[in-house]
Amino acid sequence: MSAYLNETSLELHEKWMRLALKQAEEAAHNDEVPVGAVLVDTKSLDLIASGNNRPISQKDPTGHAEIVVLRQASLSRNNYRLPGTVLYVTIEPCTMCVGALMHARIEGVVFGVREPRAGAMVSQLQLAEAEFFNHRLTFVEGILEKECSQIVQDFFKSKR
């Protein structure tokens, strides 16, 4: 497991996850599935990028919060590789997003709640541990789990 994920306090993980939750709230406000993400530099502890789900509004099937953040951070750093960074995301990433995180060389992922249908880190697939990748992606789960779960439940409840 990465030093950052091992040594970071719960308080700091919660700080960043709260920012991801604000992004999820923005997504819900825009009638998108409420998923938010932020990317943090593991050395400086600076916020590099933030984003939320936008596939509907942008008419883009790849418009997941994680991808939005990777695109923003890659432009900011002028590099498609983003080592020394950790992604905080409210919901467990899907297959597409885990693949993108691997290719970007993200150090780790902190997610709030599992995604039982399409989660690709723990729930359905364990891609972070797949031997065929030449990069290892560490993760921590369950940070602000109740809040991350509640925003999704409330969103879909309002749709019924």
Side-chain angles (χ1 to χ4, degrees):
M1 184 175 280
S2 84
Y4 173 85
L5 292 180
N6 272 340
E7 297 168 8
T8 300
S9 69
L10 179 59
E11 183 179 323
L12 190 56
H13 282 322
E14 288 179 352
K15 169 192 168 184
W16 293 120
M17 190 61 75
R18 287 189 201 294
L19 286 176
L21 275 164
K22 285 184 191 239
Q23 287 294 319
E25 290 168 6
E26 185 176 323
H29 178 74
N30 293 325
D31 213 26
E32 299 274 6
V33 174
V35 180
V38 299
L39 190 68
V40 176
D41 185 291
T42 60
K43 290 179 181 66
S44 68
L45 301 181
D46 289 334
L47 177 67
I48 299 168
S50 60
N52 52 63
N53 265 6
R54 300 174 186 175
I56 298 166
S57 61
Q58 292 188 347
K59 298 168 185 57
D60 177 4
T62 68
H64 292 196
E66 300 93 329
I67 304 298
V68 169
V69 166
L70 290 177
R71 287 179 178 151
Q72 191 182 109
S74 293
L75 288 172
S76 171
R77 288 208 165 166
N78 199 31
N79 194 339
Y80 74 103
R81 296 269 169 95
L82 301 165
T85 61
V86 168
L87 181 85
Y88 286 81
V89 61
T90 55
I91 295 179
E92 178 184 3
C94 70
T95 303
M96 172 184 70
C97 293
V98 172
L101 295 167
M102 289 285 199
H103 289 293
R105 302 298 192 263
I106 299 295
E107 186 176 311
V109 175
V110 178
F111 66 90
V113 66
R114 290 184 180 191
E115 209 298 62
R117 285 189 228 150
M121 296 194 78
V122 179
S123 298
Q124 290 297 327
L125 298 170
Q126 294 76 44
L127 290 180
E129 299 164 9
E131 297 283 325
F132 54 83
F133 284 115
N134 62 355
H135 176 68
R136 294 290 167 263
L137 188 61
T138 59
F139 66 91
V140 171
E141 65 174 300
I143 303 298
L144 298 182
E145 183 175 13
K146 184 178 178 182
E147 294 91 330
C148 292
S149 178
Q150 193 65 54
I151 192 170
V152 174
Q153 288 175 8
D154 291 349
F155 177 80
F156 284 110
K157 191 179 210 179
S158 75
K159 296 292 175 193
R160 293 185 186 116

